[in-house]
Amino acid sequence: MLSSWLSQSWWVLLLQALTCGLDPPSTPCTVQRGRVEGGALPDLVRQVEPPGQESQRARLPRGRAGGECRRGGEQGAESGDRVTGESVARMEAIVNLYQEMMKHADPRLQGYPLMGSPLLMTSILLTYVYFVLSLGPRIMANRKPFQLRGFMIVYNFSLVALSLYIVYEFLMSGWLSTYTWRCDPVDYSNSPEALRMVRVAWLFLFSKFIELMDTVIFILRKKDGQVTFLHVFHHSVLPWSWWWGVKIAPGGMGSFHAMINSSVHVIMYLYYGLSALGPVAQPYLWWKKHMTAIQLIQFVLVSLHISQYYFMPSCDYQYPVIIHLIWMYGTIFFVLFSNFWYHSYTKGKRLPRVLQQNGAPGTAKVKAN
C-alpha cells in the first residue's frame, strides 16, 4: 500500500509539473489540464502500481473516478497557482527592496572596486564559504599540510600595517576633529574630510575581503579545528552587511565600530605575525588568552557607544536601521565570544596539554598556532 501511494504521488507531482508548473502565472492551464481530465491520469497511475495490487481508483465507477480526477486536478492547479503567485510576490518584494536600497546608494562610491553591485561581493563570499566548508577540506584530505611560514609572516604583519593606517584615517577624517562621539550624522558633502571618510570606509570594507585568507590558511595547513561557526560567520556575514552600510552610509556614528574593530585587528594580527616567526617569538606570546578579552571589550565599547542613540531626545543620523544592526551585532558577538572564552579557557580546551594535565590556569605561555 505504501509503495502504491508513493507511486501515485510521484506521478501526480510529475504530471502537474509537466502540464502547469512551467507556465507563466498569467497563462491558464486549460489546454494541458484537459489532457489529464479525460482519464489519462488514472491509467498512468495504474501502470506504475506494483503487480498484483489493484488501485482504489480502478475499483471506482469510471464516472466517479473521472470526476474525482477532475476535482483533484482543479484543486491541485489552484494550489499550484496560489503557490506560484506567492513566490512571484516574494520575488517582487525582494526586487523592490533592492531597488529602494540602491536609490540611497552614495554616488561618491560609484567608482570604487566591488561597489557597483552586490553581486560580485556576494559571489566572493559564497565561494569562500563553499571552499572552507566543503571544497578545501576535500582537496586537502589526502595531502600533507602546507607550512606557509614565510607567507604568513608577510601576510600578518602587512595586515598590522593596514589596520594601523585604517585607524589613523578614521581618526583624521572625523573622529579627532568634527565628530562629537555621540550623535554624528553622515557627511554627504564633497569636502576633503568627508571624501577622506568615504575612502577609509571603503578601505575598511576591502580589508575584510583580504582577511578571508585567514580561513584559507587554516584549510591549507589542515587546521580544520579552527574553522568554527563563529569564525566563518564573522568572515562571511559581516562583510556582506558592511557592504550595504558602506554603500549607503560611509561615515557618521556608524563608523565607530569599524575604527574599534581595526584597532583590535592591529593587536590580533601582531600576535599572528609573531606566532608565525616560530620558537624565537614563543616566550612573547603569553598574552594569547587576553586577545579574547580585548575582543569582548571591543563589543562592549561598540554596544555602549551605539546605545546612546536610544537615549537621545533627538539625533539626525540618517539611517537608524544601521544603528539597530550594529547594536544587534555587538550583542550577538559578545555572547558568541563569551561562549568561546568559556569553552576555550574556563574549561581548558585551549590550554597546552601539560597545563591541562596539571590543572594550571591558562595564563601561561601557549604554543603558537
Side-chain angles (χ1 to χ4, degrees), residues 22 52 56 72 77 162 206 219 264 284 313 316:
L22 300 180
Q56 292 181 358
L162 178 61
F206 189 73
I219 296 297
V264 171
Y284 308 102
D316 297 330

Side-chain angles (χ1 to χ4, degrees), residues 10 26 38 91 93 95 107 114 134 140 143 173 195 204 207 209 214 225 244 275 287 310 324 338 346 349 352 355 366:
W10 187 86
S26 59
M91 289 300 298
V95 171
L114 298 178
S134 178
M140 295 300 299
R143 290 179 169 85
S173 57
L195 293 177
F204 169 77
S207 71
F209 289 90
D214 290 5
W244 292 100
S275 177
W287 44 283
Y310 301 105
H324 306 327
S338 297
T346 303
K349 288 185 178 180
L355 295 180
V366 286

Side-chain angles (χ1 to χ4, degrees), residues 313-324:
S314 63
C315 180
D316 297 330
Y317 185 78
Q318 294 91 332
Y319 295 100
V321 64
I322 296 178
I323 300 296
H324 306 327

Side-chain angles (χ1 to χ4, degrees), residues 156-157 159-160 264-277 285 287 291:
N156 287 298
F157 284 114
L159 281 175
V160 171
V264 171
H265 280 202
V266 172
I267 303 172
M268 185 179 73
Y269 284 106
L270 177 61
Y271 171 83
Y272 291 150
L274 291 174
S275 177
L277 292 175
L285 299 178
W287 44 283
M291 284 201 306

Side-chain angles (χ1 to χ4, degrees), residues 317-335:
Y317 185 78
Q318 294 91 332
Y319 295 100
V321 64
I322 296 178
I323 300 296
H324 306 327
L325 285 174
I326 293 173
W327 186 90
M328 182 177 67
Y329 277 144
T331 303
I332 290 174
F333 276 98
F334 180 83
V335 172

Side-chain angles (χ1 to χ4, degrees), residues 96-344:
N96 291 335
L97 176 62
Y98 168 75
Q99 292 175 343
E100 186 64 27
M101 293 180 69
M102 293 303 287
K103 288 179 182 178
H104 296 277
D106 192 333
R108 298 174 298 177
L109 281 157
Q110 188 59 38
Y112 282 78
L114 298 178
M115 301 308 297
S117 164
L119 293 179
L120 178 57
M121 68 92 179
T122 302
S123 300
I124 293 173
L125 294 174
L126 289 176
T127 302
Y128 159 80
V129 172
Y130 172 68
F131 178 83
V132 301
L133 295 183
S134 178
L135 180 61
R138 285 190 282 113
I139 291 175
M140 295 300 299
N142 298 318
R143 290 179 169 85
K144 294 182 179 181
F146 292 92
Q147 297 303 315
L148 303 177
R149 180 180 176 184
F151 174 79
M152 291 168 58
I153 293 172
V154 174
Y155 170 76
N156 287 298
F157 284 114
S158 296
L159 281 175
V160 171
L162 178 61
S163 299
L164 274 172
Y165 178 74
I166 291 174
V167 173
Y168 173 79
E169 285 296 300
F170 270 124
L171 292 172
M172 293 298 104
S173 57
W175 287 100
L176 282 186
S177 55
T178 57
Y179 280 22
T180 65
W181 297 70
R182 299 192 74 246
C183 176
D184 296 299
V186 181
D187 184 358
Y188 288 101
S189 71
N190 289 318
S191 68
E193 189 176 65
L195 293 177
R196 191 173 186 177
M197 176 62 77
V198 170
R199 286 193 296 271
V200 69
W202 173 84
L203 185 60
F204 169 77
L205 172 67
F206 189 73
S207 71
K208 300 299 120 183
F209 289 90
I210 297 175
E211 291 168 6
L212 298 180
M213 186 59 63
D214 290 5
T215 326
V216 176
I217 291 174
F218 289 155
I219 296 297
L220 296 180
R221 298 180 66 215
K222 303 189 76 168
K223 300 284 186 178
D224 295 359
Q226 294 176 313
V227 185
T228 61
F229 166 79
L230 174 59
H231 180 90
V232 177
F233 181 81
H234 179 74
H235 280 74
S236 58
V237 175
L238 287 188
W240 192 87
S241 59
W242 275 328
W243 187 92
W244 292 100
V246 172
K247 182 73 173 178
I248 296 173
M253 65 185 303
S255 64
F256 175 81
H257 78 287
M259 181 177 63
I260 296 298
N261 181 257
S262 296
S263 303
V264 171
H265 280 202
V266 172
I267 303 172
M268 185 179 73
Y269 284 106
L270 177 61
Y271 171 83
Y272 291 150
L274 291 174
S275 177
L277 292 175
V280 66
Q282 198 170 21
Y284 308 102
L285 299 178
W286 54 267
W287 44 283
K288 176 182 180 180
K289 176 181 177 179
H290 301 292
M291 284 201 306
T292 305
I294 292 171
Q295 289 171 321
L296 289 171
I297 293 172
Q298 166 192 199
F299 300 126
V300 171
L301 291 176
V302 169
S303 297
L304 287 176
H305 173 263
I306 214 67
S307 295
Q308 296 180 95
Y309 177 85
Y310 301 105
F311 300 97
M312 296 176 185
S314 63
C315 180
D316 297 330
Y317 185 78
Q318 294 91 332
Y319 295 100
V321 64
I322 296 178
I323 300 296
H324 306 327
L325 285 174
I326 293 173
W327 186 90
M328 182 177 67
Y329 277 144
T331 303
I332 290 174
F333 276 98
F334 180 83
V335 172
L336 291 176
F337 272 85
S338 297
N339 181 68
F340 173 82
W341 172 283
Y342 173 74
H343 287 285
S344 298

